[in-house]
């Protein structure tokens, strides 16, 4: 990926803001963009010129309203760029290629029967990426990989757990980039999921938590329009908050972690208890970081989301009863089981805009 300078970053923020509006699909005028993003029409002209030069935006006809010159409209060129997203778990690889609007052009699923050693794993990831690299028009920007943590997104390294873990410490980003000869980005699955969700609904998730329920339980946070990483790239590891004293031992060294108790409840067929654990985790999270939207996503919760969402809504109503002015909306991911793969691809697209962490959008 190209390095970004402060000036790049400022330009990138403006470009990303205009593209976020254009991503909604309807052609938009210069004055409408200026009004929505609260910048001058002259500034919008410069941004549009820059985006058109890069082929990301094009003119889309004119409209006439009242006397004077007709107004030119602009739209995003969805086929101008593509990115591949890979969602890696211990047993499965889910792959997509998306266009500049985040629309899926093609998807693939691969069951991985066993935990492959790192060189074999990198070859598998590369094979899946190669199978998608010629799908769709436009420039292929790179490959995003989303996987369960602990992952250091800055370093592109899977940190691993204390369990015997053949992937522990693997510099997956570097190895895969060398293998494919193209840019690669590695991130925690929940953060990739939040980017994917925010991408689908520009401007909606300014203060939001995405609760991801896959094999583990984690969350990603967007606070004041910034996706939060934290000092060790671990922000949002809600699965390791204790929900039962002296409960089930967790690989992290503690007992009664939400992740372990939730999984055990599901395995015992106690779905109601599992939903209650999720609900308490969400109320704790809302109390701690003050978000107004909670998005529920992930393969495990996707099938039976109604019970979980009802339990969360109920717990929020009870848990926030002393603060009637606080309203938290609970939503289901709009991306289904594609969420993490799509999000990893969207992270690559965002990088092209120059400002990877910011999801600037309209009011
Ligand atoms: Zn734990």
């Amino acid at each position: 990926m190209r390095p970004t300078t402060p000036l790049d970053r400022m330009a990138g923020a403006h470009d990303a803001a205009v593209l976020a509006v254009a991503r909604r699909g309807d052609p938009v005028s210069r004055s409408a963009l200026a009004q929505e993003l609260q910048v001058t029409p002259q500034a919008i002209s410069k941004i549009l010129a820059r985006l058109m030069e890069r082929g990301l935006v094009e003119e889309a006809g004119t409209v006439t309203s009242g006397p004077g010159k007709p107004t030119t409209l602009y739209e995003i060129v969805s086929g101008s760029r593509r990115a591949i997203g890979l969602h890696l778990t211990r047993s499965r690889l889910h792959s997509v290629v998306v266009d500049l609007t985040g629309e899926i052009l093609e998807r693939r699923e691969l069951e991985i029967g066993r935990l492959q050693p790192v060189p074999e794993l990198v070859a598998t990831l590369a094979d899946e990426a190669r199978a998608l690299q010629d799908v769709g028009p436009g420039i292929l920007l790179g490959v995003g990989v989303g996987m369960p943590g602990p992952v250091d997104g800055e370093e592109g390294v899977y940190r691993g757990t204390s369990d015997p873990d053949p992937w522990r410490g693997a510099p997956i980003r570097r190895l895969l980039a060398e293998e494919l000869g193209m840019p690669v980005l590695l991130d925690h699955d929940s953060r990739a999921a939040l980017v994917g969700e925010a991408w689908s609904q520009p401007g909606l998730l300014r203060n939001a938590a995405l609760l991801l329920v896959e094999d583990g339980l984690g969350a990603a946070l967007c606070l004041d329009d910034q996706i939060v990483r934290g000092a060790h790239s671990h922000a949002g590891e809600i699965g390791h908050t204790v929900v039962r004293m002296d409960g089930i031992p967790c690989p992290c060294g503690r007992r009664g972690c939400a992740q372990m108790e939730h999984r055990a409840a599901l395995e015992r067929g106690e779905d109601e208890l599992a939903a209650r654990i999720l609900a308490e985790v969400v109320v704790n999270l809302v109390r701690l970081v003050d978000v107004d939207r909670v998005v529920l996503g992930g393969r495990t919760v996707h099938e039976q989301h109604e019970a979980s969402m009802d339990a969360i809504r109920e717990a929020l109503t009870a848990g926030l009863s002393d603060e009637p002015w606080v309203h938290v909306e609970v939503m289901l991911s709009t991306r289904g089981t594609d969420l993490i793969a799509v999000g990893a691809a969207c992270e690559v697209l965002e990088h092209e805009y120059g400002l990877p962490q910011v999801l600037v959008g309209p009011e």
Side-chain angles (χ1 to χ4, degrees), residues 239-242 248-260:
H240 293 291
T241 51
V242 171
I248 300 166
C250 179
C252 77
R254 301 168 84 198
R255 284 175 167 270
C257 286
Q259 177 168 302
M260 303 305 290

Side-chain angles (χ1 to χ4, degrees), residues 56-277:
L56 299 168
V57 165
E58 65 187 2
E59 288 186 5
T62 55
V63 284
T64 312
S65 54
K69 259 180 24 179
T71 306
T72 307
L73 297 176
Y74 300 88
E75 66 184 0
I76 198 164
V77 185
S78 59
S80 61
R81 301 288 191 279
R82 295 174 293 139
I84 291 171
L86 306 177
H87 171 203
L88 173 67
T89 73
R90 300 264 150 174
S91 59
R92 203 179 319 106
L93 183 57
H94 185 81
S95 315
V96 297
V97 57
V98 304
D99 69 14
L100 185 59
T101 64
E103 274 300 304
I104 296 175
L105 302 173
E106 194 166 316
R107 61 165 71 69
R108 293 170 61 87
E109 285 258 17
L110 181 74
E111 294 292 329
I112 306 173
R114 63 198 167 80
L115 218 51
Q116 298 177 337
V118 172
E120 198 181 330
L121 173 70
V122 171
T124 304
L125 293 170
D127 283 347
E128 288 299 289
R130 284 194 197 99
L132 292 174
Q133 71 178 4
D134 296 323
V135 176
I139 301 166
L140 178 62
L141 296 174
V143 178
V145 183
M147 68 183 293
V151 169
D152 187 334
E154 301 274 320
E155 298 292 324
V157 172
Y158 173 70
R159 294 279 180 219
T161 59
S162 56
D163 281 351
D165 185 344
W167 299 352
R168 188 177 184 165
I172 291 176
R173 184 179 66 196
R174 178 175 62 77
L175 296 174
L176 188 58
E178 283 169 7
E179 179 73 28
L180 286 171
M182 66 173 94
V184 172
L185 185 149
L186 180 75
D187 209 350
H188 197 274
D189 52 3
S190 58
R191 235 169 351 248
L194 180 53
V195 172
E197 197 60 45
W199 191 268
S200 316
Q201 308 178 74
L204 189 70
L205 304 179
R206 293 175 180 279
N207 283 290
L210 185 138
L211 188 71
L212 189 70
V213 194
E214 289 267 311
D215 297 334
L217 177 62
L221 303 171
C222 186
L223 301 177
D224 298 332
D225 255 347
Q226 293 274 343
I227 292 203
V228 177
R229 286 186 177 274
H232 306 94
S233 232
H234 290 177
E237 285 279 7
I238 195 80
H240 293 291
T241 51
V242 171
V243 293
R244 188 158 71 96
M245 286 298 167
D246 303 318
I248 300 166
C250 179
C252 77
R254 301 168 84 198
R255 284 175 167 270
C257 286
Q259 177 168 302
M260 303 305 290
E261 298 291 339
H262 178 257
R263 191 187 306 158
L266 284 180
E267 282 167 5
R268 292 193 303 265
E270 295 178 26
D271 292 358
E272 210 171 298
L273 176 63
R276 262 184 56 209
I277 291 170

Side-chain angles (χ1 to χ4, degrees), residues 102 127 256 279 294 308 320:
D127 283 347
V294 174
S308 301
L320 300 172

